Amino acid sequence: VGAGMLYLSVLVAFAACNAPPVPLDDIFIEKTFVPEQCVRAVKDGDYVRYHYNGMFPDGKKFDSSYDRSSTYNVFVGKKQLIAGMDKALVGMCVNQRSLVKIPPHLAYGKKGYGEIIPADSILHFDVLLLDVWNPEDGVQINTYHTPSNCSRKVEVSDYIRYHYNGTLLDGTLFDSSHTRMRTYDTYVGIGWLIAGMDQGLLGMCVGERRIITMPPSLGYGENGDGSDIPGQASLVFDVVLLDLHNTKDGITVTNQIIPESCTRKSVAGDFVRYHYNGSLLDGTFFDSSYSRNRTYDTYVGRGYVIAGMDEGLIGVCVGERRTVTIPPHLGYGEEGTGIPGSAVLVFDVHIIDFHNPSDTTEVIVTHKTEECVKQTKKGDFVKYHYNASLMDGSSIDSTYNYGKTYNIVLGANQVVPGMEEGLMDMCVGEKRHLVIPPHLGYGERGVTNEVPGSAVLVFDIELVDMEEGLPEGYMFIWNDDVATDLFTEMDKDKNEEVEPSEFTDYIMQQVNEGKGRLAPGFDPYRIIDNMFSNQDRDGDGKITEAEFRLKADEVSHDEL
């Protein structure tokens, strides 16, 4: 019995394998690949682009879109397809792949299709959906990154710079600004772009990222671009906005930090020293004076810098910080200079100092003495303390650090001209605040490692002591009456010639006895040597009575 049952089972199985296929009452769909995300599913009335292989149940191919290197493009649900395909496409997602089996009554029925498809044929289609859109579609925007600060959004007629990746709806890349390593730069809303991009870019902030999806009616239409974009293709652009401006824009000044004390603001013609960080509108750094460890020094309002900076540096205070945003037509224009063309520039500026070539030394008396017997004048030997700094408060030097005064002869070019001016007509004990422009200070070169070039100097000075100088042109003066026979007194060895040693000894004797006075502040022996040389008219190293003359007998010699 068992053997008989086994034989019967084998016969049944054999009959099942060789039986004709069971007729299909409806389409059968086997999903062979389903994407993780369904970008969009097909609905009746949608327009689709898909690839397919058409086969009979035995695997024999009767048609293929791949062979024509072109997708099949058609409206769904409008009887432009066989009924089974019309039905099978509804609900498919972009990038989904399905094996569709269609019975004859939903395919070509009893008539078949010429010599290609026999009557009553079951058809198999291996379908890959690439694109779907609807005539009612507009631009779709998906913003996936919004910057925390958005002070301005793209408007019609703005000029923008942006990066993008352009793909078809199935993810196929057809273009990218990133691969060219340069932004796409264009006006928006005036027809320079395809209509969908013109719409999709409006309202964006700098730094924003969005995906802009558009139907072919707002892209490249029925014909595509003739190269990488097929006709009737939906387009997807992944965009990041880097820059925007309008040709009507002027500069903008923001983030101002103004010092409490601002006694003067810059005007056209001033010379300004400032630090800056330069960046693009998206924050990309391109230059900094800090990295060079020196200020940028220039005249303002005279065309020495780009027009936007020329304007942005007018009306600033020393110590002020401000952000100056400059549109490209006031910056480096369409070509750029080491930066992208048509780029908006952002400068974070710190004003270190400024002056005008017409400036003089500013003298402010901060402390006056109750009694002032004498005021300083040219030729006086003065002793004073000082604290020196730059306009931004950076310390340069101080005599207090050395525990001794600074000593000079006024009018002898021993200090910068501005200091000479600031020390004039001063009383012992008096204190002053001096502001010295660079042309009266250390000029364009400055002092290496101490004073920057073209720097305004600030000195707080106190006059500690002074010794009255001699009248202008004199190196030595008599306190008493001059001897009637001065030459004979000098000629100690009575050889009718005065040697250098005799001359020096005699003058020093007069000084020590209080009968005469040398110009203060100088090496006395150098003064005496100079006096001797002026008297030694023939340069033979000795003075004769014929050569010897007093100052009163001279026209213009610094001597006796």
Side-chain angles (χ1 to χ4, degrees), residues 268-270 296 298-311 314:
D270 282 348
Y296 192 83
T298 184
Y299 287 98
V300 294
R302 294 288 186 265
Y304 286 83
V305 290
I306 55 175
M309 187 59 83
D310 235 4
E311 182 181 349
I314 298 294

Side-chain angles (χ1 to χ4, degrees), residues 143 268 284 331 342 394 519:
T143 298
T284 301
S342 300
S394 300

Side-chain angles (χ1 to χ4, degrees), residues 32-284:
T32 56
F33 177 79
V34 179
E36 291 184 4
Q37 291 185 338
C38 185
V39 177
R40 181 169 179 173
V42 178
K43 297 178 181 179
D44 280 336
D46 284 348
Y47 191 91
V48 297
R49 294 172 49 248
Y50 64 94
H51 269 306
Y52 71 89
N53 283 315
M55 302 166 291
F56 296 114
D58 62 359
K60 182 181 178 182
K61 185 171 69 174
F62 62 81
D63 191 19
S64 174
S65 63
Y66 295 100
D67 293 342
R68 294 187 294 275
S69 298
S70 175
T71 56
Y72 195 78
N73 307 336
V74 69
F75 280 101
V76 176
K78 294 192 175 184
K79 298 183 179 181
Q80 296 180 1
L81 293 162
I82 58 176
M85 185 60 80
D86 239 358
K87 190 174 182 180
L89 288 170
V90 173
M92 278 193 78
C93 297
V94 174
N95 283 328
Q96 180 179 326
R97 188 171 183 176
S98 296
L99 178 60
V100 181
K101 299 178 181 180
I102 304 176
H105 66 279
L106 295 178
Y108 292 99
K110 294 185 178 297
K111 292 184 178 181
Y113 188 80
E115 298 180 357
I116 300 174
I117 300 175
D120 294 321
S121 295
I122 295 174
L123 304 180
H124 292 186
F125 289 92
D126 184 359
V127 178
L128 175 61
L129 185 65
L130 300 179
D131 197 351
V132 54
W133 53 271
N134 193 282
E136 296 182 1
D137 286 349
V139 173
Q140 300 173 40
I141 296 173
N142 175 26
T143 298
Y144 64 93
H145 175 73
T146 303
S148 57
N149 181 28
C150 180
S151 59
R152 179 174 179 177
K153 296 183 178 182
V154 177
E155 298 178 1
V156 172
S157 81
D158 280 347
Y159 192 90
I160 65 173
R161 296 173 51 246
Y162 64 97
H163 269 305
Y164 70 88
N165 285 319
T167 62
L168 304 181
L169 203 60
D170 67 341
T172 302
L173 181 72
F174 62 79
D175 191 19
S176 174
S177 63
H178 296 282
T179 60
R180 294 188 294 274
M181 298 183 70
R182 62 175 300 177
T183 55
Y184 194 82
D185 308 339
T186 183
Y187 287 99
V188 179
I190 61 173
W192 282 34
L193 295 162
I194 55 176
M197 189 61 84
D198 245 357
Q199 294 178 33
L201 291 167
L202 293 175
M204 282 193 80
C205 303
V206 171
E208 182 178 333
R209 295 175 182 269
R210 61 171 55 172
I211 294 174
I212 303 170
T213 305
M214 65 195 69
S217 60
L218 299 176
Y220 289 96
E222 296 182 3
N223 299 320
D225 70 344
S227 177
D228 299 311
I229 300 175
Q232 300 289 31
S234 301
L235 304 179
V236 180
F237 290 92
D238 190 343
V239 175
V240 56
L241 184 65
L242 301 183
D243 198 347
L244 81 136
H245 75 277
N246 195 284
T247 54
K248 297 178 182 179
D249 288 348
I251 69 165
T252 56
V253 176
T254 55
N255 303 327
Q256 283 182 276
I257 301 176
I258 302 173
E260 293 183 4
S261 175
C262 180
T263 58
R264 175 178 175 180
K265 294 186 176 182
S266 61
V267 297
D270 282 348
F271 191 88
V272 180
R273 294 175 56 247
Y274 64 98
H275 271 303
Y276 70 88
N277 284 318
S279 62
L280 305 182
L281 205 57
D282 67 342
T284 301

